[in-house]
Amino acid sequence: MWGIIATWRMAAEGVGKAAEILKNGGDAGDAIETAVKEVEDFPYYKSVGYGGLPNEEMEVELDAAYMDGDTLDIGAVAAIRDFANPVSIARRLSKEKVNNLLVGEGAEKFAHKEGFERKNMLTDRAKIHYRNRVKEITAQEIKPYAGHDTVGMVCLDEKGKMTSATSTSGLFMKKKGRVGDSPISGSGFYVDSKVGGASATGLGEDVMKGCVSYEIVRLMRDGLHPQEACEKAVAMFDRELKERRGQAGDMSLIAMNNKGEWGVATNIEGFSFAVATENQEPIVYLTKCVDGKCIHEPASQEWLDDYMRTRMAPLEEK
Ligand code: ASP
């Protein structure tokens, strides 16, 4: 059995490419890296890679991670600027004995020495978003840019190897140096080939409070189906945050176990995700969770068309 699941509609093309690799007996590491790179390279997704939205100093600082569920190797970069594919640098770092998580300048030096592609990641479109936002920002709290955020994935290959990876520009208008959950093991991602993996998108500051990806893997290890594990972890932690702090940030989790069964849960409206397995052609679903129970419905063609149209619509300076 093989499979791959990923946060948000934006992952669909990448999931399709990964499915081709996995179908032909390819490796879960290669498949997931290919899938994430596809999202990083697409200029119209404004929360991952090229075209990602900048921090308050108008710099695009990117976070990414890669984990191998066989060896438990982890590599990650945070607040890295001007490299095309942070996920590939993260994967490369996962092969080191030490120095597995590098930030800022150190990450950039490493990537440069290793010959990774340099690229100015700030697009003209992102600059317009930035300038528009500066005009709007008066007295507003910073939130992840609505609608599409971190790409997080879990992948299983035919040999039973599992991987997980994330990539994000984090919060729009974040402080320079701010790092969220996405490059942090157990929070933005976790995978163990003996059990399964999970990955998150949402408000990193809150996801990190509950190590939610690890919690889902732990529940799967206890025997829960990925769907039950996601529902339980998200509902419990959402409630916990609301009880203790009065509110809970956005939180959407995807998971897959080592049988290729998968699950998704969210505390927001309109969370989309993409999945493909040996028994399931690549498909985009929309999820709705009420009282801790989630229903996934295939996205309609109209929704899919509209999604692309809005992403690529001409952008006006306000
Ligand atoms: N989790 C990301 C962060 O906090 C953003 C997101 O997925 O919405 O950096």
Side-chain angles (χ1 to χ4, degrees), residues 61-183:
E61 288 188 330
L62 302 166
D63 304 334
Y66 171 89
M67 183 166 185
D68 179 321
D70 280 0
T71 58
L72 306 181
D73 284 335
I74 290 171
V77 289
I80 189 171
R81 289 169 310 170
D82 291 333
F83 279 89
N85 295 112
V87 72
S88 302
I89 304 166
R91 187 180 182 195
R92 169 70 189 78
L93 281 167
S94 74
K95 305 209 161 57
E96 298 288 305
K97 272 218 170 88
V98 291
N99 302 309
N100 298 118
L101 166 53
L102 294 182
V103 306
E105 205 192 324
E108 288 156 19
K109 277 192 176 164
F110 173 84
H112 179 67
K113 283 187 191 151
E114 291 294 316
F116 285 95
E117 184 192 344
R118 275 191 185 274
K119 186 168 175 178
N120 182 351
M121 300 298 270
L122 183 65
T123 60
D124 287 344
R125 206 175 161 85
K127 286 184 205 164
I128 299 177
H129 278 299
Y130 177 86
R131 288 194 293 264
N132 286 348
R133 182 69 168 201
V134 169
K135 287 178 197 150
E136 286 167 11
I137 210 149
T138 33
Q140 278 180 27
E141 234 182 287
I142 291 177
K143 281 188 144 197
Y145 210 72
H148 58 114
D149 316 65
T150 300
V151 67
M153 304 195 185
V154 178
C155 182
L156 163 71
D157 71 23
E158 268 182 349
K159 294 199 179 81
K161 172 175 167 179
M162 296 196 76
T163 52
S164 180
T166 58
S167 186
T168 188
S169 54
L171 298 189
F172 185 24
M173 289 287 177
K174 64 190 178 183
K175 285 249 174 288
K176 182 173 173 60
R178 179 266 184 193
V179 177
D181 59 310
S182 308

Side-chain angles (χ1 to χ4, degrees), residues 287-304:
T287 294
K288 202 175 183 161
C289 301
V290 181
D291 296 332
K293 286 276 157 242
C294 304
I295 297 166
H296 316 305
E297 276 186 7
S300 66
Q301 196 53 49
E302 194 189 345
W303 186 91
L304 293 168

Side-chain angles (χ1 to χ4, degrees), residues 37 50 63 67 75 120 130 160 205 218 243 300 305 308:
K37 279 172 76 175
Y50 186 60
D63 304 334
M67 183 166 185
N120 182 351
Y130 177 86
E205 283 71 3
R218 193 188 68 75
E243 274 171 23
S300 66
D305 294 345
M308 256 325 171

Side-chain angles (χ1 to χ4, degrees), residues 1-3 16-32 91 155-162 277-278:
M1 179 55 114
W2 55 264
K17 282 198 165 180
E20 286 306 311
I21 295 173
L22 296 164
K23 199 184 286 175
N24 293 306
D27 171 74
D30 297 337
I32 207 165
R91 187 180 182 195
C155 182
L156 163 71
D157 71 23
E158 268 182 349
K159 294 199 179 81
K161 172 175 167 179
M162 296 196 76
T277 68
E278 208 170 302

